[in-house]
Amino acid sequence: MIPLKHLIRRCKNSLNRLSDKCQSVSVASQRVKQQNGISYSRQYSELLTLFMLKRLGPLMYYEAQLWRPELSFKDKMGFLNSQQYQRRLAQLNPVPYRKLSQHKVTEKALLQLAGIPTPAFAGFFHPQKGFAQRGEPLRCATELSDMLSLCIGKTLCFKPTEGWGGSGFVAAQVKAENERLYLIPLGQNEKLSVPEFVSRYLRSAQGMLIEHYLVQHSVMADFNPDSVNTLRIWVKQTHGEAQVLGVILRIGRRHAVVDNASQGGFIARVNMMTGQLQRAMTTELLPVEFDTHPDSGVQLTGRQLPYWDECLALARKTLSVFPHSRFAGLDMAISKTGPVIIELNLEPDKVTARNFGLPLKQLLS
């Protein structure tokens, strides 16, 4: 039997979540009315109808911009809620095979075997199973020091093997002084000894993938030099042929080492035909749009991405490498020599689909 105080706490939490949702819907509906002239009655009647007929929640109505007058009601009914999206994912990407992509070391090994360009592998740090690039053990600070002694002057990236959204990511420069190694995390001035760095950053139970830091193309660095700015490319395989469904560019903020929205980054839509950036925007419930970087003022809208044809070709090739997987959201960087796959997402956030112009059901048909 659940104690009364736990029931009360659950009820309070549920009421708080409901209150937050109602507040978000209220603010969103006001902005849609003010900026787009869509009346409250039309918004709320559509919102209620879509919930009753398709179980599309009120937040999704605004996340997917279903209030847009150019969308027919049939189009609006073609969007999927979270449960419907998961069922479609299970058809496209059977659950037993998703682990190949969810573990970054396994994913990287498969990509490299297929000749797909990825950032150079340095090691896998784990207290029982860790190994360096040449097979040496990599399980403790002493063994990490041995590996780092071959990387002095270089920058390495450390990321949890099963992390997401940039959580737990750290990049650091390897330095030597008076025959002692230390690391300087990017964006910081603090020098950390190897044991200090391990204690602070490498405590993930799943272990940490270690890669050499990717130097991005000068055009990509111009958008924001502090982060490696990456493309999120949705690609789907139909009848043995891979098709790119849509592309956005993720751009970091000043002094941020990652471009993820969860870390403050924003996105820009990409014209798939030309590879030119369209307007940039935040990833909020109702995005704020802009043409220049909000920190630096550098122009974004209309800029041409380098190696565009190569990016599309690599996206299509990469999906074919993973067995029994017919859909993915690829994260791709662009170096001075061409595109490089950072990682795959076989369960990409469905909200991204609002940038691709078609109902999610139609995109994934």
Side-chain angles (χ1 to χ4, degrees), residues 9-43:
R9 183 163 60 247
R10 287 184 181 181
C11 289
K12 286 182 177 180
N13 291 338
S14 296
L15 288 173
N16 287 336
R17 288 194 295 270
L18 179 61
S19 176
D20 290 342
K21 286 184 178 180
C22 290
Q23 179 65 23
S24 296
V25 168
S26 176
V27 171
S29 63
Q30 291 177 38
R31 283 186 55 185
V32 169
K33 183 178 185 297
Q34 293 169 359
Q35 297 179 6
N36 303 94
I38 311 298
S39 67
Y40 292 127
S41 59
R42 176 170 176 174
Q43 292 181 58

Side-chain angles (χ1 to χ4, degrees), residues 24 27-29 31-32 35-36 59-68 248 261 265-269 279-291 351-356:
S24 296
V27 171
S29 63
R31 283 186 55 185
V32 169
Q35 297 179 6
N36 303 94
L59 291 183
M60 185 180 174
Y61 179 80
Y62 294 101
E63 285 177 346
Q65 301 175 348
L66 299 185
W67 48 263
R68 288 173 288 166
I248 58 172
F266 58 92
I267 68 167
R269 292 171 177 160
R279 298 198 76 187
M281 65 189 71
T282 62
T283 59
E284 300 164 330
L285 187 63
L286 287 179
V288 176
E289 297 188 348
F290 36 87
D291 293 307
V351 176
T352 304
R354 71 180 180 180
N355 299 292
F356 301 152

Side-chain angles (χ1 to χ4, degrees), residues 194-215:
V194 176
E196 289 172 334
F197 186 83
V198 169
S199 177
R200 184 176 302 185
Y201 293 110
L202 306 188
R203 300 177 64 86
S204 171
Q206 291 80 28
M208 303 287 285
L209 170 65
I210 309 174
E211 298 175 318
H212 289 269
Y213 187 82
L214 178 77
V215 178

